[in-house]
Amino acid sequence: MKEVKVFSPASIANLSCGYDVLGVCLDNIGDVIIVRKTKEKGVFIKKITGQNLSTDISKNVAGVSATALLKNTNVDCGFEIEIHKGIKPGSGIGSSAASSAGSVYAINKLIGEPYTRNQLIKFAMEGEMTASGSRHADNVAAVLLGGFTFVRNSIKHDYFKLNSPIEMAFAVIHPKIELKTKDSRAVVKNNVTISDMVSQSANLGAFVSGLYTENYELIGRSMKDIIVEPMRSILIPKFNEIKSACLGEGALGCGISGSGPSIFALCKGVSKANNVAKKMKEIYDKLDLEYDVHISCVNDVGVKVL
Ligand code: HSE
């Protein structure tokens, strides 16, 4: 095989109660990445469409993660990468994760798959480091493993996949402002009280239990973030109003998607997600603020060959 084309999906990190821990893979929005073997050794970014991004392999996350993989591998060729961006950088639905994970997944295919999807996470995380200044694996784990995912320890590379109840559907609204993950992480203070720690860990445990018992009501009432959301939500236009409207329309839960500015609502069923998305749109229409809306089920497969 000399060339491979992959679809690398968007993802939602945190899911309110699992900052840097929980992630979920979305199914109908993502980047398309083509990787070809070259005689010349090294990594080359040949072409980028859809967004104006650097082709410098030390600045582009796809180049950084590919380089991290190749440092770990003995191969007698190089790789050129074409990136067709379907996800806007700074949107909060895992743009850098899709490019980072997509490039390492494609290269792994071309070299005979010496790594499992789980083992590729550590290379993709190097792209996240370049994009945000921190090695969080919640988005890349979701893209590479598919479904709902859990990062137990990103330094020890301990990640796994969770159960996905079949009727889960997401409504996501992206107000067209760019919020860099680095900036959104900078507003998160380091101190947490014991009582907040107790509430947040209770919600995280209950959320995971809800996924396995397919208890939608438990999942919904566990989707609370009393620590990070209050600090970040001030950066997102009409966050509280949108959240109240989504919950009023019957969403199970609603919160900031990753580091924002996208807002997601988790719903039981696609038709509920469509109704919730209508409520989200009405609020931004009143503000005359441009936005994108996505409706997605859980993508249980993750990044895949096209
Ligand atoms: N967990 C990360 C954060 C996700 O919230 O900063 C960034 O996409």
Side-chain angles (χ1 to χ4, degrees), residues 13-14 19-20 136 138-139 181 185 232 258-259:
N14 304 335
Y19 182 66
D20 282 359
H136 56 274
D138 42 1
N139 288 102
T181 300
R185 290 181 82 82
R232 281 180 164 173
S259 57

mmCIF file with all atom_site columns, all heavy atoms in Angstrom, residues 13-14 19-20 136 138-139 181 185 232 258-259, ligand 1:
data_model
loop_
_atom_site.group_PDB
_atom_site.id
_atom_site.type_symbol
_atom_site.label_atom_id
_atom_site.label_alt_id
_atom_site.label_comp_id
_atom_site.label_asym_id
_atom_site.label_entity_id
_atom_site.label_seq_id
_atom_site.pdbx_PDB_ins_code
_atom_site.Cartn_x
_atom_site.Cartn_y
_atom_site.Cartn_z
_atom_site.occupancy
_atom_site.B_iso_or_equiv
_atom_site.pdbx_formal_charge
_atom_site.auth_seq_id
_atom_site.auth_comp_id
_atom_site.auth_asym_id
_atom_site.auth_atom_id
_atom_site.pdbx_PDB_model_num
ATOM   1   N N   . ALA A 1 13  ? -14.849 16.729 24.187 1.00 0.00 ? 13  ALA A N   1
ATOM   2   C CA  . ALA A 1 13  ? -14.105 16.353 25.391 1.00 0.00 ? 13  ALA A CA  1
ATOM   3   C C   . ALA A 1 13  ? -14.818 16.887 26.631 1.00 0.00 ? 13  ALA A C   1
ATOM   4   O O   . ALA A 1 13  ? -15.640 17.800 26.557 1.00 0.00 ? 13  ALA A O   1
ATOM   5   C CB  . ALA A 1 13  ? -12.696 16.930 25.330 1.00 0.00 ? 13  ALA A CB  1
ATOM   6   N N   . ASN A 1 14  ? -14.490 16.295 27.751 1.00 0.00 ? 14  ASN A N   1
ATOM   7   C CA  . ASN A 1 14  ? -14.936 16.685 29.108 1.00 0.00 ? 14  ASN A CA  1
ATOM   8   C C   . ASN A 1 14  ? -16.350 16.191 29.447 1.00 0.00 ? 14  ASN A C   1
ATOM   9   O O   . ASN A 1 14  ? -16.569 15.691 30.536 1.00 0.00 ? 14  ASN A O   1
ATOM   10  C CB  . ASN A 1 14  ? -14.871 18.200 29.346 1.00 0.00 ? 14  ASN A CB  1
ATOM   11  C CG  . ASN A 1 14  ? -13.487 18.781 29.101 1.00 0.00 ? 14  ASN A CG  1
ATOM   12  O OD1 . ASN A 1 14  ? -12.495 18.062 29.202 1.00 0.00 ? 14  ASN A OD1 1
ATOM   13  N ND2 . ASN A 1 14  ? -13.416 20.048 28.766 1.00 0.00 ? 14  ASN A ND2 1
ATOM   14  N N   . TYR A 1 19  ? -13.380 16.615 33.161 1.00 0.00 ? 19  TYR A N   1
ATOM   15  C CA  . TYR A 1 19  ? -12.350 17.494 32.579 1.00 0.00 ? 19  TYR A CA  1
ATOM   16  C C   . TYR A 1 19  ? -11.061 16.704 32.305 1.00 0.00 ? 19  TYR A C   1
ATOM   17  O O   . TYR A 1 19  ? -10.493 16.086 33.228 1.00 0.00 ? 19  TYR A O   1
ATOM   18  C CB  . TYR A 1 19  ? -12.069 18.647 33.555 1.00 0.00 ? 19  TYR A CB  1
ATOM   19  C CG  . TYR A 1 19  ? -11.062 19.666 33.061 1.00 0.00 ? 19  TYR A CG  1
ATOM   20  C CD1 . TYR A 1 19  ? -11.340 20.481 31.969 1.00 0.00 ? 19  TYR A CD1 1
ATOM   21  C CD2 . TYR A 1 19  ? -9.836  19.843 33.715 1.00 0.00 ? 19  TYR A CD2 1
ATOM   22  C CE1 . TYR A 1 19  ? -10.420 21.432 31.528 1.00 0.00 ? 19  TYR A CE1 1
ATOM   23  C CE2 . TYR A 1 19  ? -8.918  20.792 33.288 1.00 0.00 ? 19  TYR A CE2 1
ATOM   24  C CZ  . TYR A 1 19  ? -9.218  21.583 32.195 1.00 0.00 ? 19  TYR A CZ  1
ATOM   25  O OH  . TYR A 1 19  ? -8.315  22.524 31.773 1.00 0.00 ? 19  TYR A OH  1
ATOM   26  N N   . ASP A 1 20  ? -10.638 16.703 31.058 1.00 0.00 ? 20  ASP A N   1
ATOM   27  C CA  . ASP A 1 20  ? -9.420  16.010 30.595 1.00 0.00 ? 20  ASP A CA  1
ATOM   28  C C   . ASP A 1 20  ? -9.509  14.482 30.714 1.00 0.00 ? 20  ASP A C   1
ATOM   29  O O   . ASP A 1 20  ? -8.509  13.787 30.555 1.00 0.00 ? 20  ASP A O   1
ATOM   30  C CB  . ASP A 1 20  ? -8.159  16.482 31.343 1.00 0.00 ? 20  ASP A CB  1
ATOM   31  C CG  . ASP A 1 20  ? -7.649  17.837 30.831 1.00 0.00 ? 20  ASP A CG  1
ATOM   32  O OD1 . ASP A 1 20  ? -8.247  18.399 29.890 1.00 0.00 ? 20  ASP A OD1 1
ATOM   33  O OD2 . ASP A 1 20  ? -6.644  18.329 31.385 1.00 0.00 ? 20  ASP A OD2 1
ATOM   34  N N   . HIS A 1 136 ? -3.184  16.733 26.918 1.00 0.00 ? 136 HIS A N   1
ATOM   35  C CA  . HIS A 1 136 ? -4.449  16.089 27.289 1.00 0.00 ? 136 HIS A CA  1
ATOM   36  C C   . HIS A 1 136 ? -4.826  15.128 26.158 1.00 0.00 ? 136 HIS A C   1
ATOM   37  O O   . HIS A 1 136 ? -4.675  15.441 24.985 1.00 0.00 ? 136 HIS A O   1
ATOM   38  C CB  . HIS A 1 136 ? -5.552  17.117 27.554 1.00 0.00 ? 136 HIS A CB  1
ATOM   39  C CG  . HIS A 1 136 ? -5.793  18.031 26.419 1.00 0.00 ? 136 HIS A CG  1
ATOM   40  N ND1 . HIS A 1 136 ? -5.085  19.185 26.215 1.00 0.00 ? 136 HIS A ND1 1
ATOM   41  C CD2 . HIS A 1 136 ? -6.652  17.939 25.385 1.00 0.00 ? 136 HIS A CD2 1
ATOM   42  C CE1 . HIS A 1 136 ? -5.500  19.756 25.113 1.00 0.00 ? 136 HIS A CE1 1
ATOM   43  N NE2 . HIS A 1 136 ? -6.443  19.026 24.586 1.00 0.00 ? 136 HIS A NE2 1
ATOM   44  N N   . ASP A 1 138 ? -7.936  13.486 25.947 1.00 0.00 ? 138 ASP A N   1
ATOM   45  C CA  . ASP A 1 138 ? -9.374  13.158 25.894 1.00 0.00 ? 138 ASP A CA  1
ATOM   46  C C   . ASP A 1 138 ? -9.934  13.184 24.476 1.00 0.00 ? 138 ASP A C   1
ATOM   47  O O   . ASP A 1 138 ? -10.715 12.304 24.101 1.00 0.00 ? 138 ASP A O   1
ATOM   48  C CB  . ASP A 1 138 ? -10.208 14.019 26.862 1.00 0.00 ? 138 ASP A CB  1
ATOM   49  C CG  . ASP A 1 138 ? -9.821  15.484 26.913 1.00 0.00 ? 138 ASP A CG  1
ATOM   50  O OD1 . ASP A 1 138 ? -8.903  15.905 26.181 1.00 0.00 ? 138 ASP A OD1 1
ATOM   51  O OD2 . ASP A 1 138 ? -10.451 16.224 27.688 1.00 0.00 ? 138 ASP A OD2 1
ATOM   52  N N   . ASN A 1 139 ? -9.552  14.185 23.663 1.00 0.00 ? 139 ASN A N   1
ATOM   53  C CA  . ASN A 1 139 ? -10.064 14.204 22.282 1.00 0.00 ? 139 ASN A CA  1
ATOM   54  C C   . ASN A 1 139 ? -9.417  13.113 21.424 1.00 0.00 ? 139 ASN A C   1
ATOM   55  O O   . ASN A 1 139 ? -10.118 12.403 20.697 1.00 0.00 ? 139 ASN A O   1
ATOM   56  C CB  . ASN A 1 139 ? -9.816  15.560 21.605 1.00 0.00 ? 139 ASN A CB  1
ATOM   57  C CG  . ASN A 1 139 ? -10.703 16.676 22.128 1.00 0.00 ? 139 ASN A CG  1
ATOM   58  O OD1 . ASN A 1 139 ? -10.269 17.505 22.914 1.00 0.00 ? 139 ASN A OD1 1
ATOM   59  N ND2 . ASN A 1 139 ? -11.959 16.706 21.696 1.00 0.00 ? 139 ASN A ND2 1
ATOM   60  N N   . THR A 1 181 ? -7.576  26.728 22.688 1.00 0.00 ? 181 THR A N   1
ATOM   61  C CA  . THR A 1 181 ? -7.546  25.861 23.877 1.00 0.00 ? 181 THR A CA  1
ATOM   62  C C   . THR A 1 181 ? -6.570  26.410 24.921 1.00 0.00 ? 181 THR A C   1
ATOM   63  O O   . THR A 1 181 ? -6.854  26.410 26.117 1.00 0.00 ? 181 THR A O   1
ATOM   64  C CB  . THR A 1 181 ? -7.164  24.421 23.466 1.00 0.00 ? 181 THR A CB  1
ATOM   65  O OG1 . THR A 1 181 ? -8.153  23.963 22.543 1.00 0.00 ? 181 THR A OG1 1
ATOM   66  C CG2 . THR A 1 181 ? -7.136  23.481 24.638 1.00 0.00 ? 181 THR A CG2 1
ATOM   67  N N   . ARG A 1 185 ? -7.688  27.232 28.614 1.00 0.00 ? 185 ARG A N   1
ATOM   68  C CA  . ARG A 1 185 ? -7.089  26.522 29.747 1.00 0.00 ? 185 ARG A CA  1
ATOM   69  C C   . ARG A 1 185 ? -6.491  27.510 30.743 1.00 0.00 ? 185 ARG A C   1
ATOM   70  O O   . ARG A 1 185 ? -6.429  27.228 31.944 1.00 0.00 ? 185 ARG A O   1
ATOM   71  C CB  . ARG A 1 185 ? -6.016  25.521 29.282 1.00 0.00 ? 185 ARG A CB  1
ATOM   72  C CG  . ARG A 1 185 ? -6.594  24.333 28.550 1.00 0.00 ? 185 ARG A CG  1
ATOM   73  C CD  . ARG A 1 185 ? -5.537  23.342 28.129 1.00 0.00 ? 185 ARG A CD  1
ATOM   74  N NE  . ARG A 1 185 ? -5.125  22.413 29.174 1.00 0.00 ? 185 ARG A NE  1
ATOM   75  C CZ  . ARG A 1 185 ? -5.773  21.309 29.503 1.00 0.00 ? 185 ARG A CZ  1
ATOM   76  N NH1 . ARG A 1 185 ? -6.879  20.974 28.885 1.00 0.00 ? 185 ARG A NH1 1
ATOM   77  N NH2 . ARG A 1 185 ? -5.323  20.521 30.462 1.00 0.00 ? 185 ARG A NH2 1
ATOM   78  N N   . ARG A 1 232 ? -15.118 29.118 32.533 1.00 0.00 ? 232 ARG A N   1
ATOM   79  C CA  . ARG A 1 232 ? -15.006 29.244 31.075 1.00 0.00 ? 232 ARG A CA  1
ATOM   80  C C   . ARG A 1 232 ? -16.249 29.835 30.411 1.00 0.00 ? 232 ARG A C   1
ATOM   81  O O   . ARG A 1 232 ? -16.153 30.408 29.330 1.00 0.00 ? 232 ARG A O   1
ATOM   82  C CB  . ARG A 1 232 ? -14.752 27.868 30.459 1.00 0.00 ? 232 ARG A CB  1
ATOM   83  C CG  . ARG A 1 232 ? -13.319 27.424 30.581 1.00 0.00 ? 232 ARG A CG  1
ATOM   84  C CD  . ARG A 1 232 ? -13.161 26.062 29.946 1.00 0.00 ? 232 ARG A CD  1
ATOM   85  N NE  . ARG A 1 232 ? -11.771 25.742 29.705 1.00 0.00 ? 232 ARG A NE  1
ATOM   86  C CZ  . ARG A 1 232 ? -11.341 24.564 29.273 1.00 0.00 ? 232 ARG A CZ  1
ATOM   87  N NH1 . ARG A 1 232 ? -12.211 23.600 29.028 1.00 0.00 ? 232 ARG A NH1 1
ATOM   88  N NH2 . ARG A 1 232 ? -10.060 24.354 29.067 1.00 0.00 ? 232 ARG A NH2 1
ATOM   89  N N   . GLY A 1 258 ? -15.509 20.532 25.003 1.00 0.00 ? 258 GLY A N   1
ATOM   90  C CA  . GLY A 1 258 ? -14.065 20.696 25.162 1.00 0.00 ? 258 GLY A CA  1
ATOM   91  C C   . GLY A 1 258 ? -13.761 22.032 25.793 1.00 0.00 ? 258 GLY A C   1
ATOM   92  O O   . GLY A 1 258 ? -14.346 22.399 26.817 1.00 0.00 ? 258 GLY A O   1
ATOM   93  N N   . SER A 1 259 ? -12.880 22.775 25.141 1.00 0.00 ? 259 SER A N   1
ATOM   94  C CA  . SER A 1 259 ? -12.488 24.073 25.701 1.00 0.00 ? 259 SER A CA  1
ATOM   95  C C   . SER A 1 259 ? -13.339 25.210 25.129 1.00 0.00 ? 259 SER A C   1
ATOM   96  O O   . SER A 1 259 ? -13.034 26.371 25.346 1.00 0.00 ? 259 SER A O   1
ATOM   97  C CB  . SER A 1 259 ? -11.002 24.308 25.425 1.00 0.00 ? 259 SER A CB  1
ATOM   98  O OG  . SER A 1 259 ? -10.753 24.240 24.050 1.00 0.00 ? 259 SER A OG  1
HETATM 99  N N1  . HSE B 2 .   ? -9.917  18.720 28.047 1.00 0.00 ? 1   HSE B N1  1
HETATM 100 C C1  . HSE B 2 .   ? -9.437  19.752 27.187 1.00 0.00 ? 1   HSE B C1  1
HETATM 101 C C2  . HSE B 2 .   ? -9.837  21.104 27.765 1.00 0.00 ? 1   HSE B C2  1
HETATM 102 C C3  . HSE B 2 .   ? -10.039 19.577 25.825 1.00 0.00 ? 1   HSE B C3  1
HETATM 103 O O1  . HSE B 2 .   ? -10.956 21.218 28.232 1.00 0.00 ? 1   HSE B O1  1
HETATM 104 O O2  . HSE B 2 .   ? -9.022  22.023 27.750 1.00 0.00 ? 1   HSE B O2  1
HETATM 105 C C4  . HSE B 2 .   ? -9.543  20.577 24.837 1.00 0.00 ? 1   HSE B C4  1
HETATM 106 O O3  . HSE B 2 .   ? -10.162 20.327 23.608 1.00 0.00 ? 1   HSE B O3  1
#
